[in-house]
Amino acid sequence: MTTDTLDSIASVSLTEAARDQDAFAQKLGKSFEEYGFAVLADHGIPDELIVRAEAKAREFFALPEETKRKYALGQGGARGYTPFGIETAKGAKAHDLKEFWHVGRELAANHKFRDVMADNVWPAEVPGFKETFLELFDTFDRTGITVLKAIARYLGIDEDYFTDTVRDGNSVLRLLHYPPQQEATGEHIRAGAHEDINTITLLLGAEEAGLELKTRDGRWIPVSPKPGELVINIGDMLQRLTNGKLRSTPHRVVNPTPDRASNARYSMPFFLHFRPDFIIEALPGTVPAGEEPRWPPISSHDYLLERLREIKLA
């Protein structure tokens, strides 16, 4: 195993998982239970693909504002472009200092989830954009399944339990751009404190300082992966499914220090979702005897809509 990061957030390698699945699952699961976060090295996403994707994202965000806004289609921000200053953390008044692009799952014409999962849109101005991000989406999807197998092992359930729950899930790949900050931002920060809605999040591009998580005792600590490593965190859907055993932890992206303020920040989170018709209810064994589950059952799709309204994306 690789060494632990600050505050014992687990830093693990998939190469070690192949040698000792149980030890890998225990280290990952304990970190998710205590912090809601872990760092994953040797995750199998090719360096060439990561570099190509970062270049395509930068190329898109460098387009003129009027060009980008052609792709701002609404849909709760689920596809295409969401302009600067729209998304607002739950309970916050100040919007986040970011713009982003969403890529969703490609579905066949007669797929049963087409009524709740919109078609992708693609910027004609960036050659190779579609091919690059569909490849990255599929690669993230496969890596996510690997992580979920380890989580299932940690929870003591069938290793393949999650495979069907996320098959054709409403997952989203987000390309994020936090512009340079040349002037005072007041109460606005790059991303206000929030928990993710989905099952798990896999994040590339967090090497630029700013990502912080909130510990159980209320401290904000930095999450600082090495170049190319994945940051993984638990989302609210998985927290509900495990009756709170695995934590969906508040996290934020703070504004840069003055010496870094002229630098833009780019990152690519993949929000892995359960399939829309999956009912999220506490797994057997996660509710103490004599107690009721902390949350009532709800479908993945209904929960997503409820949360999107809270953050002003629906």
Side-chain angles (χ1 to χ4, degrees):
M1 295 285 176
T2 53
T3 57
D4 287 355
T5 59
L6 180 66
D7 239 68
S8 298
I9 301 166
S11 180
V12 295
S13 166
L14 271 187
T15 60
E16 299 294 333
R19 291 200 288 270
D20 190 338
Q21 291 181 328
D22 287 331
F24 175 80
Q26 285 298 310
K27 192 167 186 182
L28 197 64
K30 286 177 180 176
S31 191
F32 287 147
E33 190 168 340
E34 178 62 27
Y35 297 101
F37 273 74
V39 174
L40 183 65
D42 307 308
H43 43 70
I45 301 177
D47 290 343
E48 179 278 329
L49 177 58
I50 295 172
V51 170
R52 176 161 38 104
E54 289 175 344
K56 296 297 178 186
R58 288 171 182 263
E59 192 175 343
F60 171 77
F61 289 120
L63 292 172
E65 188 70 17
E66 61 270 22
T67 303
K68 290 185 288 189
R69 283 183 176 269
K70 291 192 307 182
Y71 301 101
L73 307 177
Q75 307 178 39
R79 301 292 184 269
Y81 178 62
T82 297
F84 187 80
I86 298 294
E87 186 170 15
T88 305
K90 178 182 176 181
K93 295 180 180 178
H95 62 71
D96 292 345
L97 301 178
K98 66 189 181 191
E99 58 180 340
F100 52 90
W101 181 280
H102 274 168
V103 176
R105 189 177 302 281
E106 296 274 280
L107 296 177
N110 60 348
H111 198 284
K112 64 179 180 179
F113 294 147
R114 285 190 66 84
D115 59 332
V116 295
M117 291 164 63
D119 289 336
N120 281 307
V121 295
W122 304 105
E125 296 82 1
V126 184
F129 189 96
K130 175 179 179 179
E131 294 76 13
T132 295
F133 288 110
L134 286 181
E135 182 181 352
L136 185 60
F137 186 105
D138 289 343
T139 307
F140 264 128
D141 216 17
R142 291 192 297 271
T143 304
I145 288 288
T146 301
V147 173
L148 287 172
K149 284 178 181 288
I151 289 174
R153 186 176 284 265
Y154 180 73
L155 293 172
I157 59 178
D158 187 278
E159 187 180 77
D160 293 317
Y161 169 81
F162 287 106
T163 303
D164 183 62
T165 71
V166 299
R167 183 176 289 116
D168 294 338
N170 196 4
S171 301
V172 174
L173 171 58
R174 174 180 283 189
L175 319 179
L176 268 167
H177 174 225
Y178 305 92
Q181 295 179 355
Q182 310 289 6
E183 55 192 42
T185 59
E187 59 185 331
H188 301 275
I189 66 172
R190 282 181 159 173
H194 65 284
E195 300 89 39
D196 289 349
I197 299 170
N198 46 292
T199 309
I200 59 172
T201 301
L202 299 91
L203 170 67
L204 278 173
E207 300 92 337
E208 178 73 25
L211 178 62
E212 298 180 342
L213 70 84
K214 194 173 187 179
T215 62
R216 289 181 183 273
D217 57 5
R219 292 174 295 121
W220 286 99
I221 62 173
V223 181
S224 306
K226 298 181 179 69
E229 291 183 334
L230 276 177
V231 172
I232 304 174
N233 64 277
I234 302 298
D236 287 348
M237 291 183 180
L238 190 53
Q239 177 176 252
R240 288 178 75 109
L241 188 76
T242 62
N243 202 46
K245 179 178 177 66
L246 302 185
R247 297 186 66 214
S248 179
T249 307
H251 52 285
R252 65 188 183 185
V253 180
V254 297
N255 290 335
T257 55
D259 61 308
R260 299 293 295 172
S262 61
N263 291 73
R265 188 180 195 272
Y266 297 87
S267 64
M268 294 181 288
F270 180 75
F271 302 111
L272 192 152
H273 279 256
F274 292 126
R275 65 176 194 271
D277 61 355
F278 178 71
I279 302 300
I280 306 168
E281 56 185 330
L283 286 168
T286 61
V287 182
E291 295 185 14
E292 292 294 318
R294 292 174 62 182
W295 298 279
I298 188 172
S299 76
S300 169
H301 181 65
D302 287 345
Y303 183 67
L304 174 62
L305 292 180
E306 178 184 300
R307 291 295 307 280
L308 287 175
R309 287 189 288 268
E310 291 175 346
I311 62 173
K312 301 182 181 178
L313 285 181

